[in-house]
Amino acid sequence: MRSSNSLDQLIEALRCLPGVGPKSAQRMAFHLLQHDRRGAGRLAQGLDAALQRLRHCTRCNSFTEAEICERCLSARRDPALLCIVEMPVDLNSMEQTQAYNGLYYVLMGRLSPLDGVGPKELAFERLLARASDGVVREVILATNFTNEGEATAHYLSELLHARGLKVSRIARGLPVGGELEFCDAATVAQALRERRDFS
Amino acid sequence: MRSSNSLDQLIEALRCLPGVGPKSAQRMAFHLLQHDRRGAGRLAQGLDAALQRLRHCTRCNSFTEAEICERCLSARRDPALLCIVEMPVDLNSMEQTQAYNGLYYVLMGRLSPLDGVGPKELAFERLLARASDGVVREVILATNFTNEGEATAHYLSELLHARGLKVSRIARGLPVGGELEFCDAATVAQALRERRDFS
């Protein structure tokens, strides 16, 4: 049901943005038209340019304009470490720590059978080929600690172990500055189970 | 500081949307690129079309593709009633009541001296010319009951009274289904002050 009016069409088009319902879309459209026509023009151009230019890096599967992204080509990174994350935002979180200098593979999702997302949809074959390049020594699973992220990590660890790769998982525990009193019991229990030698 | 990368540029461009910060912009960009490229294309087109085609109706100041919008041209509306609202969303709220069949004037804002929005910025001259067309008998002020909306209503009522027009203000009071117990004291006080004969 497309409207013939360009205002209604814009409002409808804005709803493709995640978390934007009819009311927000309306507010956004009026804001752009009344107060930020330049911004709206830039957004239209930005969308066009991104759709035309961006594709998936053939090595890490993240978005890039080249065939292989700068990060994957960097000589300053350790190619023996491969960190698997669900989405580009997760990769950014890892990078912000400045505590990791290996390479990445972005799944662009997580196993979610109820949504019809299985190993095929996530192209696990490509990931396995990437991890089996003979250079990678350790695969670090950094999927989220949600049910789906955990399931994805378990599934992947079996496939990767079968190929003789060392597989690790980022740690769970209390957050930095965290207090036992205000932490949920499951996290405290996990922190206890995964306690480390302390010297 | 414009980035040369089309992904960063898209993320930056998305921030022109009201209420969208850096994190949401990132999430939106990744969502569009990964899951809704068609939607992104439609959005780019929608923005372009809206920017090119939409302008302000010369009568009601709302957005339209024609010189005068359909609503202002409608023969089924009472041209003697002119309702003044702040924004197009407010006009939609009025229309949804199906209780008003007069015409509108959209201020596209409210008086807000701290933000540099005065009578000149809102083009009150145009509104006064519109209200003084000889056909309008009553002007209904339907600006919001915020401090700024109230100030705008008071300011306009003086200008409109000076031109010999009948000016009214939509009522304040308890909402339909409202209970005194759960209503703020100012609203209850207002409902008491503005009580009506009941038969």
Side-chain angles (χ1 to χ4, degrees):
Chain A
M1 211 180 69
R2 304 288 301 276
S3 164
S4 61
N5 176 299
S6 55
L7 178 61
D8 292 343
Q9 273 172 14
L10 172 59
I11 292 172
E12 207 180 298
L14 281 163
R15 294 193 55 191
C16 72
L17 298 169
V20 174
K23 285 261 176 186
S24 314
Q26 217 176 51
R27 200 164 46 90
M28 285 175 167
F30 292 137
H31 170 84
L32 291 177
L33 289 166
Q34 185 66 12
H35 299 294
D36 197 2
R37 296 177 76 91
R38 274 188 58 199
R42 264 205 301 272
L43 178 53
Q45 282 165 27
L47 287 162
D48 276 333
L51 287 174
Q52 276 169 35
R53 293 195 210 140
L54 291 177
R55 48 177 164 165
H56 293 284
C57 169
T58 53
R59 300 209 82 204
C60 74
N61 201 32
S62 193
F63 294 110
T64 176
E65 294 187 19
E67 196 188 334
I68 298 177
C69 74
E70 281 178 49
R71 195 177 289 113
C72 285
L73 289 172
S74 168
R76 272 179 296 180
R77 288 180 172 266
D78 181 355
L81 288 175
L82 186 69
C83 177
I84 301 184
V85 292
E86 295 181 18
M87 295 295 291
V89 280
D90 305 321
L91 187 158
N92 292 349
S93 293
M94 290 291 294
E95 284 293 282
Q96 274 159 24
T97 66
Q98 303 193 320
Y100 180 69
N101 80 329
L103 297 173
Y104 292 94
Y105 188 89
V106 184
L107 294 174
M108 291 291 172
R110 62 209 66 80
L111 288 182
S112 179
L114 291 177
D115 300 320
V117 180
K120 210 175 119 193
E121 283 68 27
L122 294 178
F124 278 3
E125 286 306 317
R126 275 190 61 204
L127 160 60
L128 292 175
R130 168 72 187 87
S132 314
D133 67 350
V135 182
V136 172
R137 272 185 297 106
E138 179 179 349
V139 177
I140 302 167
L141 298 170
T143 54
N144 293 322
F145 285 104
T146 56
N147 286 340
E148 293 172 344
E150 286 278 63
T152 309
H154 283 292
Y155 193 97
L156 281 175
S157 74
E158 289 192 14
L159 294 178
L160 293 161
H161 275 132
R163 305 215 165 195
L165 285 157
K166 183 182 169 192
V167 182
S168 60
R169 178 92 171 102
I170 54 169
R172 273 188 300 200
L174 267 72
V176 172
E179 298 174 73
L180 286 158
E181 182 184 355
F182 302 113
C183 226
D184 66 291
T187 298
V188 176
Q190 195 69 32
L192 182 64
R193 269 199 298 276
E194 297 189 1
R195 64 190 179 278
R196 304 170 46 179
D197 280 340
F198 191 72
S199 55
Chain B
M1 212 180 67
R2 303 290 301 278
S3 164
S4 62
N5 175 300
S6 54
L7 178 60
D8 292 345
Q9 274 173 13
L10 173 58
I11 292 171
E12 207 180 299
L14 281 164
R15 294 193 54 192
C16 72
L17 298 170
V20 174
K23 285 260 176 189
S24 313
Q26 218 177 49
R27 202 164 45 88
M28 286 175 167
F30 292 138
H31 170 84
L32 291 177
L33 289 166
Q34 185 66 13
H35 299 295
D36 198 4
R37 297 176 76 92
R38 273 188 60 197
R42 266 206 300 273
L43 179 54
Q45 281 166 28
L47 287 162
D48 276 332
L51 287 173
Q52 274 169 36
R53 293 194 210 140
L54 291 177
R55 49 177 164 165
H56 293 284
C57 169
T58 53
R59 301 208 82 204
C60 74
N61 201 32
S62 193
F63 294 110
T64 176
E65 294 186 21
E67 196 186 334
I68 299 178
C69 74
E70 282 180 46
R71 195 176 289 115
C72 285
L73 289 172
S74 167
R76 271 179 296 178
R77 289 181 171 267
D78 182 355
L81 288 176
L82 186 69
C83 177
I84 301 184
V85 293
E86 294 181 17
M87 296 294 290
V89 280
D90 305 321
L91 188 159
N92 292 349
S93 293
M94 290 291 293
E95 285 292 282
Q96 276 159 23
T97 65
Q98 303 194 319
Y100 180 69
N101 80 329
L103 296 174
Y104 293 93
Y105 188 89
V106 184
L107 294 174
M108 290 291 172
R110 61 211 66 80
L111 289 181
S112 179
L114 291 178
D115 300 318
V117 181
K120 211 176 119 192
E121 282 68 28
L122 294 178
F124 277 4
E125 287 306 318
R126 275 190 62 203
L127 161 60
L128 291 175
R130 168 72 187 87
S132 315
D133 67 351
V135 182
V136 171
R137 272 185 297 106
E138 178 178 349
V139 177
I140 302 167
L141 297 170
T143 53
N144 292 323
F145 285 104
T146 56
N147 286 341
E148 293 171 343
E150 285 279 64
T152 308
H154 283 292
Y155 193 97
L156 281 175
S157 75
E158 289 192 13
L159 294 178
L160 293 161
H161 274 133
R163 304 214 165 195
L165 286 157
K166 182 181 171 193
V167 181
S168 61
R169 178 90 169 103
I170 53 170
R172 271 187 300 201
L174 266 73
V176 173
E179 298 174 73
L180 286 157
E181 182 183 356
F182 303 114
C183 225
D184 66 291
T187 298
V188 176
Q190 195 69 32
L192 182 65
R193 270 198 298 276
E194 298 189 0
R195 64 189 179 279
R196 304 169 47 179
D197 281 339
F198 192 74
S199 54

